[in-house]
Each structure stands twice: as C-alpha cells, then as structure tokens.
Amino acid sequence: MEIEDRTDEPTPAQPTTGDPATDDPTTDPATEATLPDWWHRDHPVFTPLAGFFTGLVAVTLVPGVYAAVLGALFDTGTAEDLFPYVLVLLAVPLGLIAVRRSRRFGSYMLLGMVLTALVVAGVTALVLWAMVSTQS
C-alpha cells in the first residue's frame, strides 16, 4: 500500500510562531471547527471509498443529467449529435491521475467508473440473453 506524501509546510490559514505547542492547528478552538474530521484526513479507507463511489456516480448520473439538459435545450437531432461529448468525462480521472497529489483518488475513481461500466454491460448481456432464450 502506498503512503501519501504529507508536507508540514504552513499554509496561509496556519501561521507559525516557531513554538510547536502553539503551531498545532487542532489546539486552536477557532480553527478546529474548520478543519476536516480525523476520518477525512487520516483514515486509510476514505480516499479509496470516496474515489470509487465518485466514479460510480459519474458513470451513472452524469450521462443522464447531460442527456436531460441537452434534450431540454436543443431539438432531438442536435442533442443526439452533442451527446458523444459526454466522453470528456473520462478525462477527469486521467487528469487526477496525472497530478501526484490526487493520483490515489483519481485511480480509484477510474476503477469505479470501469467496474460500473463492466457490471452494467454484464447485466445487460445477461438480461438480453435471458429474453432471447425464453422467446424461442
């Protein structure tokens, strides 16, 4: 399992004073409410789960919403011509994989997209086979 690089460089929201006891942002009550919960920062399963289910939702929800918006804005012929541009969605996980900081999330997002497409294709093939074989 690959461990993510975490830098301890201060961000503009985290000014440093040089004292380690006061530089910890979790000890300041004002910034404690704005920091992500421990589960979002440190749990090893959060990024894979979030990436996988983002990919699943991207494959199932985005094409449907895109088709609905195209159907509402354009006539049927133009909407059908513009629908293949939904494949630009595949560039999102590839772009995330290219950036080192988001590589793990992007790879799990791509995995979620591919596995969802395979499950949908497999179930479709099984249903079509069952329908054709029962009609004979």
Side-chain angles (χ1 to χ4, degrees):
M1 183 167 122
E2 185 179 321
I3 299 175
E4 294 179 26
D5 287 345
R6 303 220 179 191
T7 60
D8 293 330
E9 297 175 7
T11 60
Q14 299 172 334
T16 60
T17 61
D19 183 15
T22 59
D23 285 344
D24 186 13
T26 59
T27 60
D28 184 17
T31 60
E32 190 172 326
T34 60
L35 290 175
D37 193 20
W38 72 270
W39 202 82
H40 296 93
R41 289 184 315 237
D42 297 328
H43 201 282
V45 179
F46 180 77
T47 301
L49 278 178
F52 181 82
F53 285 109
T54 301
L56 184 141
V57 167
V59 166
T60 56
L61 188 67
V62 172
V65 170
Y66 183 68
V69 168
L70 287 178
L73 295 178
F74 302 107
D75 63 289
T76 305
T78 307
E80 288 174 356
D81 292 340
L82 292 175
F83 186 75
Y85 289 109
V86 78
L87 294 177
V88 172
L89 175 68
L90 295 176
V92 171
L94 298 178
L96 289 171
I97 290 171
V99 178
R100 188 176 193 327
R101 183 175 173 98
S102 61
R103 187 168 293 155
R104 188 169 180 220
F105 181 84
S107 61
Y108 280 102
M109 182 178 175
L110 184 63
L111 178 69
M113 292 173 79
V114 168
L115 287 180
T116 301
L118 287 175
V119 167
V120 168
V123 169
T124 301
L126 185 64
V127 168
L128 286 175
W129 174 80
M131 289 174 63
V132 168
S133 65
T134 58
Q135 291 295 324
S136 307

